[in-house]
Amino acid sequence: MTKTFHSGFVAIIGRPNVGKSTFLNYVIGQKIAIMSDKPQTTRNKIQGIYTTDDSQIIFIDTPGIHKPQSKLGDFMVDSALSTLNEVDAVLFMVNATQKRGKGDDFIIKRLQNVKKPIYLVINKIDQIHPNDILPIVDDYRHSLDFQEVYPISALKGNNVFELVDNLVTDLPEGPQFYPEDEVTDHPERFIISELIREKVNQLTREEIPHSVAVVTERVKRENEQKIQVSASIIVERNSQKGIIIGKGGKMLKRIGTLARKDIETLLGDKVYLELWVKVQENWKDRKTDLQSLGYKQDDY
């Protein structure tokens, strides 16, 4: 008897900071989407590929839905919403520690037009009392006809693979779209840029994370043991440049040290990382700048 193979595309959608990237990294088993306690961290649709002997799920981690404040914000929201009619299933992720809000209702309204199976995923259950889960389920269950409801902890792994196994069962029979050893369709340079941007997000505050883009300009193997990586951190103002460089270059050195460790894990070799900080005024509101920095609506 021939073994059936199930495959398909699954979008992960939700408000900012509900744990979409944490979930994706846990399922894939390595970091391909950056994580931060700051909202609106994910800017592009990140594709993570989960493959087993009899299935392949291509997860699409979308930017968090929020009220746009700039052209970059418009891009992020449009990018997230455009995914919904292109996939085989949707995971609507909510944060168990936050009350249902306008952002959730906005997403639910959009999901009412989606004809594919929608799963309600209640994340961060490790942060609440088990008795508090049922009222959350009841609150959302009446708003939409969900295929299934899964309370999970993406950080701890609770119920994550139960959800994934059920997804596999529900997905149609289909081909293997990507090689079994491929975990993302994004180019290496994109992932490197994201890892650097994650460290900027972690080490800086207030407006800095939202005003930063990173461009990896060079990835060159110097010899069998070392890879040279050069990247530019783009900010909007000179004052932001000063914050990222820090007194005596200390902040930039910390960013580089932390990013280098993740890049070495990604590339599997020693890395020499060279970082530059450049000012590009109001890049978030100029279409040409957004396109040059990789935010291309046409790609979607």
Side-chain angles (χ1 to χ4, degrees):
M1 184 176 172
T2 306
K3 196 177 188 181
T4 59
F5 194 91
H6 291 253
S7 63
F9 293 78
V10 176
I12 313 168
I13 196 162
R15 285 163 62 186
N17 206 26
V18 296
K20 299 183 295 295
S21 298
T22 305
F23 171 83
L24 183 63
N25 290 337
Y26 189 91
V27 172
I28 301 306
Q30 69 183 76
K31 184 184 289 186
I32 59 168
I34 70 173
M35 296 183 291
S36 171
D37 60 358
K38 300 173 179 68
Q40 300 161 36
T41 302
T42 300
R43 290 177 178 170
N44 293 75
K45 289 188 289 192
I46 311 291
Q47 286 197 184
I49 304 160
Y50 170 79
T51 307
T52 66
D53 289 341
D54 56 5
S55 66
Q56 186 171 80
I57 305 176
I58 299 93
F59 288 100
I60 303 169
D61 175 20
T62 60
I65 302 289
H66 62 286
K67 187 176 180 180
Q69 304 293 330
S70 63
K71 280 189 167 53
L72 173 62
D74 289 334
F75 166 84
M76 289 161 65
V77 172
D78 288 346
S79 177
L81 294 176
S82 69
T83 305
L84 298 178
N85 289 310
E86 303 166 3
V87 295
D88 298 289
V90 176
L91 302 184
F92 172 35
M93 189 173 290
V94 300
N95 185 343
T97 68
Q98 295 177 344
K99 287 187 176 181
R100 176 174 159 185
K102 290 181 180 178
D104 296 307
D105 292 337
F106 176 81
I107 295 169
I108 288 167
K109 191 174 181 181
R110 294 300 182 277
L111 290 175
Q112 287 170 350
N113 298 319
V114 174
K115 307 301 181 190
K116 300 298 172 69
I118 300 167
Y119 298 77
L120 176 65
V121 181
I122 303 168
N123 191 23
K124 306 190 183 184
I125 60 168
D126 54 305
Q127 298 179 30
I128 65 169
H129 192 279
N131 292 346
D132 295 332
I133 295 174
L134 195 56
I136 299 171
V137 173
D138 287 340
D139 185 27
Y140 281 95
R141 184 173 268 155
H142 301 296
S143 63
L144 209 60
D145 184 19
F146 294 107
Q147 179 91 355
E148 297 278 356
V149 179
Y150 284 93
I152 71 161
S153 169
L155 190 63
K156 308 282 187 182
N158 302 33
N159 298 332
V160 168
F161 281 105
E162 287 83 349
L163 165 58
V164 171
D165 289 344
N166 267 16
L167 271 177
V168 168
T169 303
D170 291 344
L171 285 174
E173 290 184 26
Q176 182 174 313
F177 293 97
Y178 294 93
E180 62 185 30
D181 60 347
E182 200 163 320
V183 295
T184 182
D185 73 333
H186 277 292
E188 195 172 76
R189 290 189 181 205
F190 173 86
I191 303 295
I192 291 170
S193 296
E194 288 290 272
L195 292 174
I196 296 167
R197 188 165 68 88
E198 178 184 60
K199 305 313 172 191
V200 175
N201 287 354
Q202 289 175 354
L203 296 173
T204 60
R205 296 182 179 184
E206 296 170 1
E207 87 281 1
I208 298 293
H210 304 297
S211 300
V212 166
V214 178
V215 178
T216 299
E217 293 164 348
R218 188 173 187 234
V219 180
K220 184 181 179 184
R221 184 171 287 282
E222 294 292 303
N223 51 53
E224 287 185 9
Q225 282 82 37
K226 185 170 280 191
I227 301 169
Q228 186 170 8
V229 176
S230 299
S232 294
I233 300 171
I234 313 296
V235 293
E236 293 186 292
R237 295 190 293 277
N238 277 313
S239 59
Q240 295 167 343
K241 179 178 180 179
I243 291 170
I244 288 177
I245 292 173
K247 191 175 181 180
K250 283 185 178 179
M251 177 60 80
L252 190 61
K253 187 176 180 180
R254 285 179 67 197
I255 292 167
T257 299
L258 292 175
R260 179 175 51 78
K261 291 177 182 176
D262 278 356
I263 297 167
E264 286 178 343
T265 301
L266 176 73
L267 301 181
D269 269 311
K270 291 288 183 185
V271 166
Y272 173 74
L273 177 60
E274 192 174 34
L275 294 178
W276 305 91
V277 185
K278 299 178 181 179
V279 177
Q280 209 163 306
E281 292 184 4
N282 301 320
W283 67 264
K284 288 190 300 182
D285 277 309
R286 281 205 291 265
K287 190 174 181 180
T288 52
D289 286 348
L290 288 171
Q291 289 181 337
S292 71
L293 292 170
Y295 302 109
K296 299 178 183 177
Q297 194 70 52
D298 293 342
D299 289 348
Y300 303 96

